[in-house]
Amino acid sequence: MIRMDGLTKYYGRKPALIDVTLRIPPGVVFGYLGPNGAGKTTTIRILVGLMRPTRGSAWVQGSDTVREREAAQRCIGYLPGQFVAYQDLTAQQYLEYLANLRGDVDPAVRDALVKRLDLDPTVRIGAMSHGNRQKVGIVQAFMSEPDLLVLDEPTQGLDPLVQREFLAMVREARDAGRTVFLSSHVLSEVQAVADTVAMLREGRVIAEHSVAELTTRARHRIDLTFAGEPPDLSTLRRIEGVRRVEQNTVAVHIDVDGSTAELLKAVAPYDVVDIASHEPDLEEVFLTYYGQE
C-alpha cells in the first residue's frame, strides 16, 4: 500500500528526513512514532502529495505521490495534525462541500460517522470547541472509506469516550482490509491498535518492529517473593538479560531485558511463593530508544 525509497527532505541546509525507506502492506495499522521535530509530519506531507521530497520517492497503491499525485490522493483519507476548516460553514455544509469535491462519498456513511462521534452538524465550525472541530476532521477523513487513512495526531482534543470510539473505527478500517498510517504522541493509543511501528529520530528511522516484538524485547520488571532465603543477589546479576537486582524486606525486584526464561530457571530450586511481572508498554520501549530526556 505504501512504499518509500530513500525519502529525504531538506529545508535549506537543514535535513528533516534522511533516507527513509519503508514498506507497508494493505490491511495493517502502522504506527509512526518520534519526538517533536523528528520528521513525522514532513513524511506525511510528502506521502499525501502536499510536499515534494528533496530526493527519493513515495508511492501509494503504486502511484508516485509527485508524478501521479491525483491518482495517489484518490486512495487517501487525510487528517492533518493541525486541522483547519472553513469557520463560517456548519459542519454539515463543510462535509457536503468536501463530499462533492471527491464525488465518491456515500451520504449514509457520512451521516453514520457524524452520529457515531456525537457531532452536531448544524453548529458553525468557528463556534465549535477544539474537540468538536477534531471530530469534523475525523469524519472528513473516514467518510469516503479510503484504502489508506493517514492520520496525524488524530485524538488531540478528544474526550476519552470519543477517543475509544475513534480507536474502534481504526480497528474496523483495518479489519475491512484498509491501511492506517497513524502518527501520534499518545503511545498507549498506538499500542492499542497498531500492528507495526517505526521509530523516527532526527529524520532517520531507527527501528521498525511489530508491537508484539517490541514489547517482547523490552525490559520486564519482576518481583519475586521467597518463603525462605533468596538466592545470592550477585548470582542473579550474572544471569543473561538481568540489568538490575534489588532486595527489600518483602521481595527481590529484578529488571530483565527480553526473555525471562533463564532467570526463572535460576530461581526454580528456591522456594518462590509469588511472582509479579509488570509487562512493558510501548512508552517504556520508546524510552529505551530515546532515553529518559
Side-chain angles (χ1 to χ4, degrees), residues 7 18 37 41 54 86 98 116 132 135 142 167 186 201 212 214 216 250 253 261 267 286:
L7 207 59
I18 305 171
T41 296
T54 304
Y86 296 127
L98 292 184
R116 184 171 184 177
N132 281 324
K135 292 179 187 179
F142 278 79
L167 295 177
V186 185
R201 184 175 189 178
L214 273 176
T216 299
V250 177
H253 309 283
V267 300
F286 190 88

Side-chain angles (χ1 to χ4, degrees), residues 1-270:
M1 178 58 69
I2 297 172
R3 175 182 164 191
M4 302 180 198
D5 278 338
L7 207 59
T8 300
K9 179 66 179 178
Y10 278 81
Y11 296 113
R13 295 183 178 181
K14 181 178 175 59
L17 285 181
I18 305 171
D19 292 328
V20 172
T21 297
L22 293 170
R23 299 288 187 274
I24 303 172
V28 301
V29 178
F30 187 88
Y32 200 53
L33 306 175
N36 288 332
K40 301 188 302 298
T41 296
T42 297
T43 306
I44 285 174
R45 287 175 178 165
I46 294 172
L47 184 62
V48 301
L50 297 179
M51 182 182 288
R52 290 171 176 261
T54 304
R55 65 173 182 266
S57 302
W59 289 265
V60 172
Q61 216 169 42
S63 298
D64 186 285
T65 60
V66 174
R67 296 192 302 271
E68 303 162 295
R69 183 173 66 171
E70 185 175 341
Q73 289 177 336
R74 295 296 303 173
C75 307
I76 297 172
Y78 172 45
L79 176 62
Q82 298 295 328
F83 174 70
V84 178
Y86 296 127
Q87 303 287 294
D88 292 334
L89 297 183
T90 65
Q92 183 73 26
Q93 292 169 332
Y94 178 71
L95 293 170
E96 285 181 356
Y97 169 67
L98 292 184
N100 290 333
L101 284 178
R102 285 195 67 106
D104 58 357
V105 175
D106 183 345
V109 173
R110 178 194 64 209
D111 294 344
L113 289 168
V114 167
K115 184 176 181 180
R116 184 171 184 177
L117 294 176
D118 194 25
L119 174 65
D120 185 348
T122 65
V123 175
R124 188 172 60 85
I125 290 172
M128 287 182 172
S129 67
H130 175 66
N132 281 324
R133 287 197 300 272
Q134 193 72 1
K135 292 179 187 179
V136 176
I138 292 171
V139 173
Q140 63 82 31
F142 278 79
M143 67 183 183
S144 64
E145 299 184 300
D147 292 329
L148 172 62
L149 283 156
V150 179
L151 309 172
D152 193 359
E153 301 293 341
T155 60
Q156 56 181 332
L158 299 180
D159 66 54
L161 289 177
V162 179
Q163 287 181 24
R164 185 171 65 182
E165 197 62 40
F166 166 78
L167 295 177
M169 291 165 57
V170 169
R171 293 188 191 99
E172 290 164 14
R174 176 190 57 198
D175 293 345
R178 304 205 290 276
T179 304
V180 182
F181 189 93
L182 174 64
S183 171
S184 177
H185 282 96
V186 185
L187 300 177
S188 59
E189 79 182 15
V190 175
Q191 184 171 4
V193 294
D195 303 291
T196 304
V197 296
M199 295 186 178
L200 199 67
R201 184 175 189 178
E202 296 178 351
R204 298 181 186 273
V205 172
I206 61 169
E208 182 186 356
H209 300 287
S210 71
V211 170
E213 184 182 6
L214 273 176
T215 52
T216 299
R217 289 184 174 192
R219 186 164 296 182
H220 300 254
R221 294 194 304 273
I222 296 178
D223 299 335
L224 298 172
T225 304
F226 298 89
E229 194 69 22
D232 183 77
L233 299 190
S234 62
T235 301
L236 296 178
R237 292 189 180 102
R238 289 194 294 270
I239 296 171
E240 183 180 357
V242 170
R243 292 292 172 263
R244 182 180 69 92
V245 180
E246 293 180 355
Q247 183 179 8
N248 61 20
T249 56
V250 177
V252 177
H253 309 283
I254 305 172
D255 288 351
V256 186
D257 285 345
S259 173
T260 60
E262 291 302 315
L263 172 65
L264 296 178
K265 286 179 186 176
V267 300
Y270 297 84

